[in-house]
């Protein structure tokens, strides 16, 4: 999980995409928010959704696998719901990343 979190955060930082990181390990409110905002069809059959989970404001975008696939297909900005900067394969907007 930690490696996936670092991968997402590293990508966002390297591409100067503004984001807000929410720590669900140390903050019960953040954990509750994430659980409530992950859609039913994106939750595991048993247990709680595991991080990292990506949101654009409160709109659920996906998990690490969805992010990784978008990155591999040079479609990260579309995945994040952002406009790619001129000359970029991969906007500025506030993103919430649940680590």
């Amino acid at each position: 999980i930690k490696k996936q979190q670092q991968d997402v955060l590293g990508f966002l930082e390297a591409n100067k995409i503004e984001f807000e990181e929410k720590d669900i390990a140390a903050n019960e409110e953040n954990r509750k928010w994430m659980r409530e905002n992950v859609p039913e069809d994106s939750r595991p059959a048993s247990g709680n959704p595991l991080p990292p989970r990506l949101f654009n404001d409160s709109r659920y975008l996906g998990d690490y696998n969805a992010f990784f696939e978008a990155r591999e297909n040079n479609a990260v900005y579309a995945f994040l719901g952002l406009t790619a900067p001129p000359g970029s394969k991969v906007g500025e907007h506030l993103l919430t990343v649940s680590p």
Side-chain angles (χ1 to χ4, degrees):
I1 290 175
K2 186 70 172 169
K3 185 174 180 175
Q4 291 176 351
Q5 292 169 339
Q6 290 172 337
D7 189 31
V8 171
L9 295 176
F11 179 88
L12 296 174
E13 290 168 352
N15 287 283
K16 296 180 174 55
I17 298 172
E18 188 177 334
F19 65 93
E20 176 186 348
E21 184 178 0
K22 290 192 176 192
D23 186 347
I24 65 167
N27 186 307
E28 180 61 34
E29 285 300 313
N30 288 341
R31 186 172 27 251
K32 181 180 176 188
W33 184 91
M34 185 189 81
R35 290 177 182 163
E36 290 174 352
N37 286 284
V38 172
E40 196 68 39
D41 62 345
S42 297
R43 296 179 185 179
S46 63
N48 292 309
L50 297 175
R53 300 290 172 144
L54 290 92
F55 298 84
N56 187 329
D57 293 321
S58 62
R59 184 173 56 92
Y60 180 70
L61 303 175
D63 61 7
Y64 176 78
N65 292 332
F67 168 81
F68 181 81
E69 185 176 319
R71 191 177 66 188
E72 290 294 303
N73 292 320
N74 290 322
V76 174
Y77 281 89
F79 168 76
L80 296 174
L82 304 175
T83 302
S88 173
K89 289 185 180 179
V90 203
E92 266 183 46
H93 198 277
L94 178 65
L95 291 177
T96 302
V97 179
S98 294

